[in-house]
Amino acid sequence: MSIAMKFSSGGALPMQKSGYLIVGCAAISIVALWSSVDNFRASPSKLIDVSGVVTSMRCEEGRRGNMASVELEIAGSTEVYPYPGILPRARELCDRVNIGTHVALRYSTPGDPEIWSVAIEGRSFIDTQEAESWRHVNGWAAIGVGAFFLMGGLMTWRRYGFNQHF
C-alpha cells in the first residue's frame, strides 16, 4: 500500500504548514538553548599566554556589516587565534591590528584556541572579566531566542495543531 493511498483512505493526515512551523520553532529553540549552555561557564583557571608580532590576519564580515570573527597568526606560533564576533569591538580590533603589530593574547584550549584577553602594543583591549561578561550576555540572548521560538511553537500547536493548512 502506498503512502498516498494510506493517507487518502482515512489514515493519519500528512503534516501541513502548522506542523512544519511547530517543528521549525522546536528545532530553532533547541539549537539556541543548547548553544547558550557553553556561554555560561566561567573563564578557565589556566590560560595560556602568547605574545609577538602579527604575521597574518583575516577579518570576516558577517551579516549587516558586523564582524563575524578576526583571525590572528603570531610569529613563533603555529596556532591561528580566532577572536569571535560575540566578543565586543571585533571591528575595532580589525582596524587597530595590522601585520607587524605587537599583541599579547591569553587563550584556552591549545589546538583550538579560545581567546579570553587581548593587549595591543602593551595596552589592554579586552580582559578576561569583560570577555566572560560578554559571553554571558550572548548566552542570555540565546536563551531569549530559544524561549521566543519555543513559545511560538507551543502557541501554534495549541491553536492549530499539526494538521492545519492556514
Side-chain angles (χ1 to χ4, degrees), residues 71-144:
E71 293 180 350
L72 304 171
E73 292 183 38
I74 298 176
S77 175
T78 59
E79 299 270 3
V80 175
Y81 303 95
Y83 184 88
I86 64 168
L87 294 180
R89 304 182 308 276
R91 176 156 315 276
E92 183 182 344
L93 179 67
C94 188
D95 292 342
R96 288 182 55 188
V97 174
N98 297 311
I99 294 175
T101 304
H102 188 273
V103 296
L105 307 174
R106 297 190 84 200
Y107 69 97
S108 63
T109 323
D112 185 21
E114 182 178 37
I115 292 179
W116 286 88
S117 173
V118 177
I120 303 170
E121 299 291 346
R123 292 185 146 153
S124 178
F125 181 76
I126 186 170
D127 60 17
T128 55
Q129 290 80 19
E130 187 179 8
E132 184 176 353
S133 174
W134 275 92
R135 282 181 167 94
H136 288 179
V137 166
N138 191 53
W140 283 112
I143 286 175

